[in-house]
């Protein structure tokens, strides 16, 4: 089953999402990137109903890009998160709501602070030190309650993430195999091999 | 599965002597799974009005933004702050607009309203999810722990409490009520408002 | 043939009889160091209909045991009748009253005996243990039980229990430096808390299921003082023996709306 995690640390946010794309009981793809780069310092991990996810993620991606082109500056993480949340909240009360859950990780270059937002398909949004979606969250959240450190270095943060992934692989019946891991900090966005 | 209990959370407001208090828990959950222990449900509307929005979390944020917009428009047009009584009716009519597809929120308000003599008098109110107003003289409650809040508040509250005593009363009411509610808790925040200031405290309580 | 019942057209029919009902009301018991208070309101209702304003929910079992029964009144009354019968047999066999902890275990086995067609009742047993301490035992409908020092059950449980947590167990309260919270409260304070609990529940309970009258049983340990009980209005002694525990009943009015 789809699983995604996110952890904040000292000056960074790590996002991780599994790479399987499934239809019913069949794995259609095992190298799908479910983390989009929305702007130079903003990442979005998305999961949920197959068609909706890509449709919604691309809509968000294009509109965030359009804002940046029009204004020469990208939206800061809190503003981007608010707009994205509102898109989901409006969609919820439409004829066909998007069933998409998000983790938004960003680095605010004006205040030099990392931000992580947990957003679900209802438009529920909250800022967190760490978060997760999917069945993996039932294992990862309790683990992160114990091991998360907001002052941890990137190496320590990645080690903590590794523990989450290992725990899910060990205990979840329908655990995903591979994850894509991305980091956002003052230097921008990059992919990390665990 | 009830929509009103999907995310959990509770709010209470109380009247004291020349003061009011409003308190909420800080939990955000998905049914039994706790997501956040710092989800604010109480928002300042003006210097003298606080609004609590327990219920479905997506509507907490949506309504908070909607009320901010509507109160800002009011302030610009009227060139003055909105009064608590007026705001209560704004809340009521905003919710009733969605009579047949409601926001799943039961708002609770607390504030100090201006009197003709230039003084201030405590004000509290609550509505149901379609905006039926309840102007109580003692206390109002809402959320998943509402029945527990009623029970404790009815036992602890008395008229004309001084700000510090009102703080103790509302805090004890909230803490003990949420400790018996699986969907509320994970921290409590309390605001006590007098005519010239608001004191906000985050309480240390059980985190289970 | 119009007046003949056609059997081929009639689909399968299901009939159901619901053997249970909820008769509202609330019960409450608090244990002191050498006494126990067991209380219940006297209203019996079904939905918004009040069946009677005086139907006791609290029953004296022996001179040292009182049982409060809440939920489905018919089951409750029958259950008390059967417990009393078992206690009488015990008396005939052993020439003494059954100890409180034994009554508690008896109630468990009686409730669990009906595991698959339960008595739809929540029981609270209060009284005095053999060591002279005040005790409260609370049960679920199928016999899970526990000794506690306070418990509320019934329609207003959710209103009363958190209040009791705060006032009896001193939950969320910090004792002044160098002091500790008392393990047991004096009788007068317990009685005030019981009365406050019931007036609060009567005031705020959403359905019309708590109110009318309040009956508070007080069981005093052997040889203990009256502790101000003699000055309480409307108190009546119900003790049957002369050298054992003493039982009193206090009746109060509650709001009738």
């Amino acid at each position: 089953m789809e699983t995604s995690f996110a952890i904040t640390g000292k000056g960074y946010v790590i996002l991780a999402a599994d790479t399987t794309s499934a239809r019913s009981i069949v794995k259609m793809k095992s190298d799908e990137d479910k983390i989009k780069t929305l702007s130079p310092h903003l990442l979005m991990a998305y999961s949920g109903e197959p068609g909706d996810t890509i449709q919604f993620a691309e809509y968000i991606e294009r509109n965030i890009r359009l804002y940046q082109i029009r204004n020469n500056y990208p939206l800061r993480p809190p503003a981007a998160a608010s707009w994205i949340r509102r898109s989901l909240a409006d969609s919820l009360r439409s004829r066909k709501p998007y069933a998409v859950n998000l983790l938004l990780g960003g680095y605010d270059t004006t205040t030099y602070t990392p931000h992580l937002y947990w957003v679900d398909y209802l438009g529920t949004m909250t800022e967190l030190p760490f978060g997760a979606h999917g069945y993996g969250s039932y294992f990862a959240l309790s683990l992160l309650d114990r091991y998360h450190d907001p002052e941890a270095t990137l190496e320590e943060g990645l080690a903590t993430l590794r523990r989450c992934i290992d725990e899910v692989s060990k205990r979840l019946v329908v655990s995903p195999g591979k994850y894509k891991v991305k980091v956002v900090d003052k230097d921008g966005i990059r992919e990390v091999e665990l | 599965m009830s929509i009103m209990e999907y995310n959990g959370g509770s709010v209470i407001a109380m009247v004291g002597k020349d003061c009011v208090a409003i308190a909420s828990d800080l939990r955000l959950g998905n049914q039994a799974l706790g997501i956040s222990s710092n989800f604010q449900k109480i928002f300042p509307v003006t210097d003298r009005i606080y609004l609590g929005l327990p219920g479905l979390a997506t509507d907490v944020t949506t309504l908070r933004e909607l009320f901010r917009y509507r109160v800002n428009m009011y302030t610009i047009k009227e060139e003055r702050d909105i009064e608590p009584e007026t705001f209560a009716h704004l809340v009521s009519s905003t919710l009733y607009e969605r009579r047949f597809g409601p926001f799943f929120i039961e708002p609770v308000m607390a504030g100090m309203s201006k009197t003709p003599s230039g003084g201030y008098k405590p004000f509290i109110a609550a509505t149901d999810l379609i905006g039926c107003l309840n102007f109580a003289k003692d206390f109002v409650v809402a959320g998943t722990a509402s029945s527990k809040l009623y029970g404790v508040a009815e036992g602890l509250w008395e008229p004309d409490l001084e700000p510090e005593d009102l703080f103790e009363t509302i805090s004890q009411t909230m803490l003990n009520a949420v400790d018996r509610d699986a969907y509320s808790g994970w921290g409590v925040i309390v605001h006590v408002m007098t005519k010239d200031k608001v004191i906000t405290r985050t309480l240390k309580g059980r985190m289970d | 043939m119009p007046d003949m019942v056609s059997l081929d057209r009639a689909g399968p029919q299901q009939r159901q009889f619901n053997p249970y009902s909820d008769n509202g009301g609330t019960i409450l018991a608090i244990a002191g160091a050498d006494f126990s208070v067991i209380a219940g309101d006297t209203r019996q209702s079904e939905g918004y209909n009040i069946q009677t304003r005086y139907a006791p929910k609290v029953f004296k079992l022996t001179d040292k045991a009182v049982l409060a029964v809440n939920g489905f009144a018919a089951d409750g009354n029958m259950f008390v009748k059967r417990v009393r019968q078992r206690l009488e047999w015990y008396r005939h066999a052993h020439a003494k009253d059954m100890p409180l902890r034994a009554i508690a275990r008896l109630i468990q086995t009686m409730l669990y005996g009906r595991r698959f067609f339960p008595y739809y009742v929540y029981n609270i047993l209060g009284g005095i243990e053999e060591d002279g301490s005040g005790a409260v035992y609370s049960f679920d409908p199928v016999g899970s039980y526990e000794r506690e020092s306070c418990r509320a059950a019934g329609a207003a449980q959710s209103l009363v229990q958190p209040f009791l947590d705060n006032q009896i167990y001193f939950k969320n309260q910090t004792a002044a430096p160098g002091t500790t919270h008392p393990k047991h409260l004096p009788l007068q304070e317990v009685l005030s808390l019981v009365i406050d609990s019931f007036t609060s529940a009567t005031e705020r309970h959403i359905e019309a299921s708590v109110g009318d009258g309040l009956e508070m049983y007080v069981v005093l340990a052997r040889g203990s003082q009256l502790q101000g009980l003699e000055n309480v209005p409307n108190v009546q002694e119900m003790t049957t023996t002369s050298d054992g525990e003493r039982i009193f009943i206090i009746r109060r009015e509650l709001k009738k709306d």
Side-chain angles (χ1 to χ4, degrees):
Chain A
M1 287 295 286
E2 279 193 313
T3 290
S4 50
F5 315 112
I7 304 172
T8 55
K10 199 170 173 57
Y12 65 84
V13 184
I14 310 169
L15 261 72
D18 73 282
T19 54
T20 44
S21 160
R23 295 283 179 285
S24 176
I25 55 164
V26 185
K27 262 185 196 165
M28 307 298 286
K29 204 165 179 285
S30 57
D31 59 350
E32 181 153 283
D33 185 357
K34 289 187 271 194
I35 307 176
K36 270 213 180 324
T37 300
L38 299 183
S39 67
H41 292 91
L42 188 61
L43 284 170
M44 179 174 81
Y46 53 91
S47 56
E49 180 91 9
D52 287 2
T53 48
I54 294 166
Q55 197 72 19
F56 182 77
E58 287 184 0
Y59 168 77
I60 296 299
E61 185 185 32
R62 295 301 146 191
N63 277 97
I64 296 276
R65 177 76 186 122
L66 177 64
Y67 184 97
Q68 196 178 334
I69 293 166
R70 280 179 173 165
N71 300 284
N72 288 119
Y73 281 100
L75 279 172
R76 289 161 61 192
S82 283
W83 182 77
I84 294 165
R85 186 210 81 84
R86 177 47 79 97
S87 302
L88 278 170
D90 289 344
S91 149
L92 183 71
R93 285 182 160 85
S94 69
R95 201 176 56 79
K96 179 66 174 68
Y98 286 114
V100 184
N101 300 315
L102 310 169
L103 290 168
L104 289 156
Y107 185 81
D108 193 332
T109 48
T110 59
T111 58
Y112 313 106
T113 46
H115 291 277
L116 169 62
Y117 296 92
W118 181 96
V119 186
D120 76 1
Y121 73 101
L122 299 168
T124 311
M125 181 173 84
T126 186
E127 191 169 358
L128 294 163
F130 54 83
H133 277 301
Y135 282 114
S137 67
Y138 292 96
F139 305 92
L141 289 183
S142 48
L143 200 138
L144 288 166
D145 279 331
R146 176 67 184 79
Y147 293 109
H148 179 259
D149 174 8
E151 293 298 304
T153 62
L154 183 60
E155 289 66 38
E156 291 168 329
L158 288 168
T160 309
L161 179 74
R162 186 77 247 178
R163 296 180 96 125
C164 291
I165 291 171
D166 290 347
E167 185 66 15
V168 171
S169 308
K170 189 176 177 184
R171 294 292 176 184
L172 185 63
V173 179
V174 280
S175 60
K178 282 196 312 183
Y179 290 84
K180 199 171 266 292
V181 182
K182 293 185 184 181
V183 174
V184 56
D185 59 13
K186 64 176 178 12
D187 304 322
I189 288 161
R190 62 188 179 281
E191 195 179 326
V192 190
E193 283 301 321
L194 269 188
Chain B
M1 189 203 89
S2 159
I3 297 183
M4 297 300 288
E5 283 155 29
Y6 183 73
N7 298 118
S10 303
V11 178
I12 181 171
M14 279 180 174
V15 167
K17 189 170 191 294
D18 302 319
C19 57
V20 286
I22 183 165
S24 83
D25 69 326
L26 292 171
R27 183 178 182 270
L28 169 76
N30 265 189
Q31 317 242 59
L33 174 68
I35 299 292
S36 172
S37 56
N38 190 211
F39 188 75
Q40 301 290 340
K41 297 168 191 69
I42 300 179
F43 307 100
V45 176
T46 67
D47 288 350
R48 289 197 175 79
I49 304 172
Y50 274 69
L51 171 66
L53 299 168
L56 190 68
T58 179
D59 291 344
V60 173
T61 317
T62 305
L63 275 180
R64 193 206 98 81
E65 288 169 1
L66 185 60
F67 286 130
R68 187 175 61 185
Y69 167 72
R70 291 193 169 172
V71 168
N72 282 348
M73 293 307 283
Y74 182 98
T75 315
I76 292 164
K77 281 182 185 154
E78 296 276 325
E79 297 182 329
R80 66 182 172 87
D81 275 350
I82 194 168
E83 280 300 303
E85 285 83 352
T86 322
F87 178 69
H89 284 95
L90 172 67
V91 168
S92 172
S93 49
T94 302
L95 291 183
Y96 198 78
E97 272 179 18
R98 296 269 184 282
R99 173 62 180 80
F100 297 109
F103 291 114
F104 296 96
I105 295 284
E106 293 181 339
V108 165
M109 289 141 267
M112 299 295 283
S113 58
K114 272 204 183 81
T115 56
S117 57
Y120 289 96
K121 114 180 163 327
F123 171 90
I124 55 162
T127 87
D128 65 6
L129 73 170
I130 52 169
C132 176
L133 277 164
N134 165 22
F135 300 108
K137 284 192 275 293
D138 43 11
F139 51 84
V140 284
V141 304
T144 53
S146 60
S147 64
K148 286 113 183 163
L149 287 165
Y150 267 132
V152 189
E154 191 66 51
L156 297 185
W157 185 88
E158 47 188 280
D160 296 324
L161 289 162
E162 295 296 329
E164 278 308 301
D165 298 332
L166 185 68
F167 165 74
E168 198 60 35
T169 306
I170 198 168
S171 301
Q172 287 294 325
T173 304
M174 197 68 203
L175 286 167
N176 290 286
V178 301
D179 284 354
R180 281 278 175 183
D181 184 28
Y183 296 121
S184 299
W186 262 23
V188 169
I189 189 164
V190 183
H191 309 271
V192 182
M193 187 188 296
T194 49
K195 67 177 193 306
D196 50 4
K197 65 172 183 291
V198 178
I199 298 173
T200 300
R201 293 184 179 97
T202 307
L203 306 182
K204 180 175 179 288
R206 293 181 69 103
M207 295 298 272
D208 59 357
Chain C
M1 278 179 282
D3 52 312
M4 266 186 74
V5 181
S6 80
L7 291 172
D8 55 313
R9 251 183 342 127
Q13 290 209 17
Q14 272 207 341
R15 271 172 239 284
Q16 262 241 334
F17 164 63
N18 181 194
Y20 293 123
S21 169
D22 180 0
N23 297 108
T26 292
I27 51 172
L28 158 63
I30 300 170
D34 61 347
F35 65 88
S36 188
V37 177
I38 306 93
D41 69 328
T42 65
R43 177 177 292 181
Q44 191 180 98
S45 58
E46 195 168 9
Y48 291 107
N49 176 38
I50 297 171
Q51 293 174 324
T52 170
R53 296 190 191 278
Y54 186 70
K57 277 189 275 291
V58 192
F59 302 93
K60 192 184 105 162
L61 297 178
T62 66
D63 269 358
K64 55 180 161 241
V66 173
L67 184 60
V69 188
N70 193 233
F72 177 32
D75 271 4
N77 292 325
M78 207 57 214
F79 184 69
V80 170
K81 198 170 172 176
R82 289 179 180 153
V83 172
R84 279 178 164 161
Q85 185 178 51
R86 295 287 295 269
L87 293 176
E88 191 179 326
W89 289 347
Y90 182 95
R91 210 153 30 234
H92 293 322
H94 300 97
K96 64 163 191 162
D97 280 334
M98 191 186 279
L100 194 71
R101 56 186 219 109
I103 300 178
R105 179 59 66 87
L106 172 72
I107 288 172
Q108 161 164 79
T109 51
M110 288 178 69
L111 289 170
Y112 197 82
R114 294 278 294 267
R115 175 64 179 77
F116 298 107
F117 185 23
Y119 293 106
Y120 205 69
V121 286
Y122 286 88
N123 284 288
I124 301 179
L125 175 71
I128 304 296
E129 293 283 19
E130 281 178 305
D131 66 0
S133 61
V136 164
Y137 290 91
S138 65
F139 300 81
D140 82 348
V142 288
S144 297
Y145 79 113
E146 180 184 14
R147 187 180 167 182
E148 298 175 286
S149 51
C150 93
R151 171 61 64 187
Q157 183 191 44
S158 65
L159 285 80
V160 175
Q161 192 65 52
F163 176 66
L164 261 29
D165 290 344
N166 187 224
Q167 298 293 311
I168 306 280
Y169 291 119
F170 297 102
K171 289 276 170 67
N172 294 112
Q173 288 192 263
T174 322
T179 65
T180 51
H181 291 304
K183 251 191 97 189
H184 295 287
L185 295 176
L187 179 59
Q188 291 300 320
E189 274 183 50
V190 168
L191 288 175
S192 319
L193 286 172
V194 171
I195 292 167
D196 276 6
S197 297
F198 275 92
T199 43
S200 295
T202 308
E203 193 72 36
R204 288 287 176 178
H205 196 65
I206 330 290
E207 284 104 41
S209 64
V210 186
D212 291 326
L214 169 60
E215 286 188 332
M216 292 176 286
Y217 282 76
V218 181
V219 193
L220 291 181
R222 191 186 305 248
S224 72
Q225 297 300 305
L226 279 177
Q227 305 172 45
L229 208 55
E230 66 279 14
N231 301 320
V232 175
N234 271 324
V235 64
Q236 194 186 323
E237 181 151 10
M238 307 191 87
T239 319
T240 50
T241 56
S242 55
D243 58 343
E245 292 78 8
R246 298 175 73 184
I247 290 203
F248 299 83
I249 181 168
I250 304 162
R251 292 197 169 85
R252 288 293 173 96
E253 292 289 301
L254 289 173
K255 281 175 72 172
K256 296 185 193 311
D257 54 352

